[in-house]
Amino acid sequence: MRKVGVIGAGLTLFRRRMLETPQELAYIAASRALDEAGLELKDIDCVVIGSAPDAFDGVHMKGEYLAKAGGEKKMVSRVYVGGATGVMTAISAWYHVASGLCEKVLAIAEEKMSPARPHPQSVFKYIWDPITEKPLNPNLIWIFAMEMHRYMAKYGIRKEEIALVSVKNKRNAMNNPYAQLPGNITVDDVLKSEVLVWPVQLLDVSPTSDGAAAMVVATEDVVRRYTDTPVWIEGVGWTLDNTSWPGRELAYPRYLENAARMAYKMAKIERPYKEIDVVEPYDPFDYKELHHLEGLMIAKKGEAPTLLKEGVFDIDGDIPSSPSGGLLGVGNPIAAAGLMKTISIYWQLKGIAGKMQVKKPVHTGVAQAWGDLMQASTVIVMRN
Amino acid sequence: MVTKLEKVGIIGAGWYGFRPQVKDLSFREMVFEAASRAYESSGIDPRKDVDTFVSCQEDFWEGISIADEFAPDPIGGAMRPTMTVPGDGIQGIIHGAMQILSGVSKVTVVESHAKPSDIEKIDKIIELGMDPLFSRLGVNVNFLAGLDATKFMKNYGIKREDLAEVVSRNLSSGFKTPRSSFASKVSVEDVLSQDFLVYPLSTMDIAKYVDASIVFILASEEIARKYDPVWIEGMSFSTAEKLGEAEYLSIASRQAYKMANVKPSQVDGIFVDDRYSYKELQHLEALGISSKEFLRDQNIEVNPYGGHLAKGVPLEASGLSLLLDAVDFIEEGHESAIVASWRGIPTYTGSVLVVRK
């Protein structure tokens, strides 16, 4: 298998109601990634675009529209696995290079949620089975409330334990210059915030965000020419469960375990809880970070809240989790958020994460994203 | 770009539909039918033998947000590595091939489908593909094709009669395959007698939409040798916006030819997007084949089964429709073919494959 590495990354601010167009956001992130890599757009031979539902931007064939932000006259295409798209964009960039077809690939992920009217949630009115589910007009937060409830009920987890994720991630985001909702909040703040759909409350949820992320992925030869501190992509995995979410055991993301096993096998990781130094699990809701730490087999089923309470996932803990601040603190422009998580791991492994840099030395990092009807997961393992 | 790679083989294919309206099956059932036929044709068990799955679809065509949620079930991809490429089926084939060449998969399934008969106002959907600030013109989407055709015809000295010749030839060639809903005996005069919809195009110059689902099974060189494969020797896609020329195919074909170490004149058959009659000629020019020479020389095999004009346009499955023709062509005893797809108005994206027995 060819060795593939990362040599640059860039982010825009994550904010609600950004004035830039989706193309401009993608262009800003791409320019920053190219600057960090020391490359120009003309040096790039292939471009991979990641963006989640077209309805957010209100543009059909959004990949064609975003291609104008750097893909013109190049081998450019878009990949899509709902909310799991951001990490899939990095995975696709990896196989563009690992296949031997491309040498230098620009991976760009963009999302502009805030223009959706009356609220971005309205876009999610059309994600259901058009015959059996749409007539019931479900809301996305309702089904995640069901999942959160099931997770809590199955393992006897309390809301206070889950709220610690929101507290940790928003605190970590204080160190992130791109973050939308950093803050020093308490468990009490989370428990007293507005109830959306019980048990989901306002501070359990990531915000509506606009933003873009970009990363430059290249062959071993190019990586060694451009940097003395390479970061390699050593494992990738992705899995989709079936469409029928009501029949699924919601307490445990088995599809994530499959994706993680695929990535770990490639990266030769046998004991994830011992071998992974830093992790960025997808956290659009606070309970999801715990859910995903278990699916990634970093914590045993139902035990992530205990490890969280013990400080294992703190920035100075044994396995720092979401040192970027995650979606809860940095924001959740869906596809861009997943690529932001991948970039966070890349910066950690390269040692250039600034104030976000975790305290312990790190050699192996994992980023993960999640999406569709509680059915998709994407996992990437990187090493320095 | 690296040019010489291992080969990827096509070891199975299945299709369903190719009718203006498939009334009795949902899009998921259509995909299931095509997938079952592809697995039957190759003896592949999707639950055991397939490593990755690729689906090609766009949310707005489906009328479903995050339509990739529906990708895994009908192709046997649930709880497996399934992902979507929102693009033409040939882009999906190339993503599948890259997954194989990277070593992450040995057998990959690529699916695309279309049910345009479910779409109430397709022109309005296409308009949403245009830039929201600059080019949502609110005019007939074929107007852009008219502009493109006029510029192309002026630059290359192509006449209206030449377009009529393409229509006449492709509609009659369609009789060679059961997938052609629109095959007919139409003369050049019949086409020329039509009123213009948008100058220089009549409704006969524009391919109709069809419902169809297509599934291909790709395999690594090692696995494919156990079958009777059609090899993919060159592949690329590109996006390049230029009115009057298909620069996207010039760029993609140069790369694909280099990879396959081939010139277009050495290939037996050309399967090229002809959803507008002029596009067949414009795409040939982009592939490095003189359109005038093609019009003069009846021996150059271009769309020998009638292209989209005869079979219709199954949206993102259009490229796979051309690839089905190319595979049939090779199975009939020919050696090699070029497949060149386009994503249609308002895109400037095309893909090229070079395939060989």
Side-chain angles (χ1 to χ4, degrees), chain A residues 183-241:
Chain A
N184 270 320
I185 60 165
T186 63
V187 168
D188 216 33
D189 291 333
V190 180
L191 298 181
K192 283 184 178 158
S193 63
E194 183 186 348
V195 174
L196 303 179
V197 181
W198 184 257
V200 176
Q201 291 174 265
L202 189 64
L203 290 177
D204 291 314
V205 190
S206 57
T208 297
S209 312
D210 303 341
M215 199 164 90
V216 180
V217 177
T219 58
E220 180 176 8
D221 183 43
V222 172
V223 170
R224 293 203 189 279
R225 260 188 285 146
Y226 280 85
T227 179
D228 295 328
T229 51
V231 173
W232 306 106
I233 297 173
E234 301 215 333
V236 299
W238 66 100
T239 294
L240 245 73
D241 203 341

Side-chain angles (χ1 to χ4, degrees), chain B residues 224-243:
Chain B
R225 289 209 180 281
K226 296 173 191 159
Y227 294 80
D228 186 22
V230 170
W231 298 107
I232 300 172
E233 294 196 334
M235 57 184 136
S236 193
F237 49 81
S238 179
T239 298
E241 187 171 338
K242 190 172 185 183
L243 198 70

Side-chain angles (χ1 to χ4, degrees), chain A residues 1 58 60 64 68 72-73 75-78 80 95 100-101 126-127 129 238 240 242-243 258 372 375, chain B residues 2 5 28 59-60 65-66 68-69 73 79-81 84 86 95 102 128-129 136 237 239 241 343 349:
Chain A
M1 210 171 257
H60 172 44
E64 299 289 334
K68 294 189 176 68
E72 186 76 3
K73 300 192 182 184
M75 196 172 135
V76 54
S77 58
R78 174 182 167 207
Y80 192 23
Y95 67 63
L101 226 67
Y126 302 97
I127 67 170
D129 184 302
W238 66 100
L240 245 73
N242 61 33
T243 319
N258 279 20
D372 288 356
Q375 79 191 98
Chain B
V2 182
L5 300 169
R28 282 186 268 179
D59 279 8
F60 282 25
S65 222
I66 326 186
D68 82 284
E69 297 160 348
D73 303 22
M79 288 304 274
R80 314 289 299 286
T84 290
H95 272 259
S102 69
L128 290 170
R136 284 194 187 163
F237 49 81
T239 298
E241 187 171 338
R343 292 194 71 197
T349 295

Side-chain angles (χ1 to χ4, degrees), chain B residues 7 229-233 262 266-271 301 326-338 354-357:
Chain B
K7 290 195 289 190
V230 170
W231 298 107
I232 300 172
E233 294 196 334
V262 75
Q266 299 166 324
V267 174
D268 298 335
I270 315 288
F271 297 82
E301 294 267 29
V327 169
D328 285 354
F329 180 74
I330 286 174
E331 281 172 359
E332 281 176 10
H334 297 90
E335 272 294 311
S336 56
I338 293 169
V354 179
V355 291
R356 185 179 293 279
K357 188 68 197 171

Side-chain angles (χ1 to χ4, degrees), chain A residues 1-2 21 23 45-46 52-55 57-65 67-68 71-83 88 92 94-96 98-103 123-124 126-130 236 238-244 254-255 258 262 266 372-373 375, chain B residues 1-3 5 28 52-53 58-61 63-73 77-86 91 94-95 97-99 101-104 125-126 128-133 136 235-241 247 251 255 259 316 343 346-349:
Chain A
M1 210 171 257
R2 292 177 182 87
T21 65
Q23 287 171 339
D45 46 15
C46 302
D54 299 54
D57 289 314
V59 178
H60 172 44
M61 296 179 161
K62 199 164 32 164
E64 299 289 334
Y65 169 73
K68 294 189 176 68
E72 186 76 3
K73 300 192 182 184
K74 298 185 192 301
M75 196 172 135
V76 54
S77 58
R78 174 182 167 207
V79 295
Y80 192 23
V81 271
M88 193 70 221
S92 185
W94 168 82
Y95 67 63
H96 272 64
S99 65
L101 226 67
C102 306
E103 283 184 345
V123 167
F124 296 125
Y126 302 97
I127 67 170
W128 314 97
D129 184 302
V236 299
W238 66 100
T239 294
L240 245 73
D241 203 341
N242 61 33
T243 319
S244 180
R254 201 160 60 87
Y255 48 89
N258 279 20
M262 179 177 170
M266 197 185 297
D372 288 356
L373 284 168
Q375 79 191 98
Chain B
M1 283 193 193
V2 182
T3 52
L5 300 169
R28 282 186 268 179
T52 60
F53 300 82
E58 285 278 5
D59 279 8
F60 282 25
W61 293 140
I64 297 172
S65 222
I66 326 186
D68 82 284
E69 297 160 348
F70 297 85
D73 303 22
M79 288 304 274
R80 314 289 299 286
T82 301
M83 50 86 70
T84 290
V85 174
Q91 288 179 297
I94 296 171
H95 272 259
M98 286 193 284
Q99 289 173 11
L101 292 168
S102 69
V104 80
I125 298 290
I126 294 170
L128 290 170
M130 297 175 189
D131 188 294
L133 297 181
R136 284 194 187 163
M235 57 184 136
S236 193
F237 49 81
S238 179
T239 298
E241 187 171 338
E247 195 183 8
I251 296 169
Q255 178 63 20
M259 203 181 289
E316 304 305 346
R343 292 194 71 197
T347 81
Y348 292 88
T349 295

Side-chain angles (χ1 to χ4, degrees), chain A residues 236-241 252-265 295-297 377-379, chain B residues 47 77-81:
Chain A
V236 299
W238 66 100
T239 294
L240 245 73
D241 203 341
Y252 183 70
R254 201 160 60 87
Y255 48 89
L256 169 55
E257 185 182 320
N258 279 20
R261 284 189 189 282
M262 179 177 170
Y264 294 164
K265 189 176 172 195
L296 286 165
M297 294 167 284
S377 255
T378 44
V379 177
Chain B
R47 306 304 295 166
M79 288 304 274
R80 314 289 299 286

Side-chain angles (χ1 to χ4, degrees), chain B residues 289-304:
Chain B
I289 300 159
S290 160
S291 55
K292 286 215 168 124
E293 204 174 302
F294 159 64
L295 289 163
R296 270 200 312 273
D297 181 359
Q298 301 289 321
N299 292 322
I300 301 180
E301 294 267 29
V302 175
N303 287 333

